[in-house]
Amino acid sequence: MPLCVYSIFMQKMGRGRVQLRRIENKIRRQVTFSKRRTGLVKKVQEISVLCDADVALIVFSPKGKLFEYSAGSSMESILDRYERCSFAGQNIPTPSLESQGECSTECSKLLRMIDAMKRSLRHLKGEEVDALSIRELQGLEVQLDTSLKRIRSRKNQLMVESITQLQKKEKELKELKKQLTKKVDQREDIETQNLSQGLASLATPPCEPPHPLPEPISPNPPLPLGNISQRNEVGEVDGGTLIIRPTNTTLPHWMPRVTGE
């Protein structure tokens, strides 16, 4: 047995019969519906082209949406042909004279009722009231008063319901405003506290330990530095003593020091 024939035989043997039942998963069911609908439209188009047939397809989705497709002719012409063919084989009974008379009597009665209702409607609108008598006008007035009372009662009821709803909404808005105001006040208090703390921290510098005061300098007696000979303009030597009262025991390095000879 060739290999290809054997593979096809094994596929047919292992496939078996598939049992058709409703798909429980909603998403899978919708996807399957879309795929099968597309395939069905394709088959209708093929049979119309291959066999030159007029085909009409009408499908309603699970949600009630209409899908229609016609091939060969329009949907209206195909449906007309279907109706003619469906009623052609039925034996429609011919109405008898009695039934025709009953139908004509019923039809004339209905026409009279329709004319009376139209005339009453025109009277309610205030039209064609010149030919009415006093009793007919009084009856029309009573009818209009009754209708007006019903209309006013219904209007008042709707207004009361509307006012009640508006009052309820106003109460809810006031409660919401109260909550928002409370939140805003709390936030302002927190911001005020933070601002006051920041200003206080800027106004008071951090505490530093006090600097030690300098020790007082005890006065020292003048130090004799010896005899210093100086020559005046005449050429004589004047002997004298240079006395320096030091203010600090330590002199900077750039200041000259006086030594006694």
Side-chain angles (χ1 to χ4, degrees):
M1 181 182 293
L3 182 61
C4 61
V5 177
Y6 178 75
S7 61
I8 295 173
F9 176 76
M10 292 301 294
Q11 288 178 2
K12 291 184 178 181
M13 289 294 293
R15 182 180 300 173
R17 180 176 295 178
V18 179
Q19 184 179 1
L20 296 177
R21 62 177 181 271
R22 183 177 180 272
I23 300 174
E24 299 297 334
N25 192 347
K26 184 177 180 181
I27 298 176
R28 289 182 57 192
R29 185 167 63 246
Q30 185 66 26
V31 173
T32 305
F33 174 78
S34 300
K35 291 182 179 179
R36 294 298 180 93
R37 188 189 69 237
T38 305
L40 186 59
V41 171
K42 186 177 180 181
K43 292 294 183 181
V44 168
Q45 186 178 6
E46 289 177 356
I47 193 174
S48 175
V49 173
L50 294 175
C51 304
D52 194 14
D54 296 336
V55 185
L57 175 64
I58 300 175
V59 180
F60 286 95
S61 67
K63 295 182 179 180
K65 189 175 181 181
L66 173 63
F67 297 93
E68 61 179 21
Y69 178 78
S70 61
S73 299
S74 63
M75 181 66 70
E76 289 78 7
S77 62
I78 295 175
L79 292 178
D80 290 338
R81 289 177 59 187
Y82 172 75
E83 290 179 357
R84 289 196 300 269
C85 294
S86 298
F87 293 106
Q90 298 180 1
N91 294 323
I92 301 175
T94 304
S96 61
L97 296 177
E98 294 180 357
S99 61
Q100 289 180 0
E102 292 177 357
C103 291
S104 61
T105 304
E106 188 70 21
C107 182
S108 61
K109 187 185 296 185
L110 292 175
L111 289 175
R112 287 195 299 270
M113 290 176 61
I114 292 172
D115 292 337
M117 293 177 67
K118 287 182 178 179
R119 185 169 57 254
S120 177
L121 182 60
R122 288 194 297 269
H123 292 165
L124 291 174
K125 291 180 179 180
E127 301 175 357
E128 300 180 2
V129 294
D130 296 335
L132 298 178
S133 63
I134 297 176
R135 183 173 296 178
E136 290 175 349
L137 291 174
Q138 289 177 352
L140 183 61
E141 184 180 3
V142 171
Q143 187 177 359
L144 289 174
D145 290 338
T146 305
S147 301
L148 187 59
K149 289 179 181 178
R150 292 178 181 176
I151 292 171
R152 287 176 178 174
S153 176
R154 179 58 180 168
K155 183 189 71 173
N156 294 333
Q157 182 181 359
L158 292 176
M159 290 179 67
V160 170
E161 292 177 356
S162 178
I163 291 172
T164 305
Q165 292 179 358
L166 291 175
Q167 289 177 352
K168 184 178 179 181
K169 190 173 182 180
E170 181 183 4
K171 185 177 179 181
E172 293 177 355
L173 291 175
K174 285 183 178 179
E175 188 67 23
L176 181 61
K177 180 182 178 182
K178 184 177 179 181
Q179 294 178 2
L180 292 176
T181 305
K182 185 177 179 180
K183 290 182 179 179
V184 170
D185 293 340
Q186 292 178 357
R187 184 172 295 179
E188 288 180 354
D189 293 340
I190 294 173
E191 291 180 355
T192 305
Q193 292 178 2
N194 294 334
L195 182 61
S196 61
Q197 292 177 1
L199 293 175
S201 62
L202 292 175
T204 57
C207 297
E208 297 180 356
H211 296 283
L213 297 174
E215 297 180 357
I217 302 174
S218 59
N220 295 325
L223 298 177
L225 298 178
N227 297 326
I228 299 175
S229 299
Q230 293 181 356
R231 194 177 295 273
N232 54 14
E233 295 177 358
V234 183
E236 296 178 353
V237 177
D238 296 333
T241 302
L242 178 63
I243 299 174
I244 299 175
R245 297 182 182 274
T247 60
N248 194 356
T249 57
T250 304
L251 298 177
H253 65 279
W254 51 267
M255 184 175 291
R257 291 180 173 81
V258 180
T259 58
E261 292 179 0

